[in-house]
């Protein structure tokens, strides 16, 4: 998710043609003609400013929460608007697994227990529930 904003700063318009080598903005192509649409000095300046503003916003968020480093951010510091009138902390919305909890067999979340039993190391398709 963190790369998405940088892609927009470079000029990505989400044409969803990255895999076709026909990116209309020249961002995701090996076609030299299409790459000409990407003016690197201009985009470099845009990415620089985007990054600077992202860091500034992060510093403001940390200061507002009374924190000094991003590693201190916990689920209790983040909120999600559920409806027009309800806001809940992420610590209220999610069950956070303890280290080794999946391997112990005593999983404290019905959801994670169900997903763990459906997972299979030898293939991507989940086993039936």
């Amino acid at each position: 998710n963190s790369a998405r904003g940088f892609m927009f700063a470079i000029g990505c318009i989400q044409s969803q043609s990255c895999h076709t080598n026909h990116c209309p903005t020249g961002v995701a192509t090996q076609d030299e003609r299409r790459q000409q649409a990407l003016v690197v000095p201009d985009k470099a300046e845009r990415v620089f400013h985007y990054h600077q503003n992202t860091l500034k916003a992060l510093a403001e968020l940390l200061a507002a929460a009374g924190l000094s480093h991003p590693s201190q951010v916990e689920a209790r510091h983040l909120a999600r608007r559920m409806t027009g009138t309800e806001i809940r902390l992420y610590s209220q919305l999610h069950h956070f697994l303890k280290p080794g909890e999946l391997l112990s067999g005593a999983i404290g979340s019905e959801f994670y227990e169900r997903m763990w039993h459906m997972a299979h190391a030898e293939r991507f398709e989940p086993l039936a529930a």
Side-chain angles (χ1 to χ4, degrees):
N1 285 337
S2 65
R4 187 178 197 143
F6 287 99
M7 291 296 290
F8 291 148
I10 291 172
C12 174
I13 60 170
Q14 291 188 308
S15 68
Q16 299 180 352
S17 60
C18 307
H19 64 291
T20 67
N21 209 28
H22 292 94
C23 173
T25 62
V27 171
T29 184
Q30 297 299 313
D31 183 331
E32 291 181 14
R33 194 174 130 263
R34 290 183 181 274
Q35 286 176 354
Q36 291 175 4
L38 187 65
V39 181
V40 175
D42 174 55
K43 301 306 181 183
E45 189 75 18
R46 290 174 51 121
V47 169
F48 171 78
H49 289 295
Y50 174 78
H51 183 60
Q52 290 296 104
N53 288 322
T54 299
L55 294 177
K56 180 181 175 186
L58 175 61
E60 290 173 354
L61 181 137
L62 293 174
L67 306 174
S68 59
H69 192 273
S71 66
Q72 297 170 307
V73 176
E74 298 177 5
R76 64 187 175 92
H77 295 112
L78 304 171
R80 178 177 177 183
R81 180 171 298 282
M82 305 301 290
T83 67
T85 58
E86 181 186 9
I87 296 174
R88 299 192 63 197
L89 298 176
Y90 275 87
S91 59
Q92 297 169 310
L93 296 172
H94 298 285
H95 173 84
F96 294 90
L97 298 171
K98 296 174 185 73
E101 187 173 344
L102 292 175
L103 300 175
S104 73
I107 302 171
S109 163
E110 181 274 327
F111 171 78
Y112 286 121
E113 183 171 17
R114 187 166 30 94
M115 293 298 115
W116 183 247
H117 292 296
M118 290 173 63
H120 198 281
E122 281 74 38
R123 63 177 181 269
F124 289 106
E125 299 86 21
L127 297 175

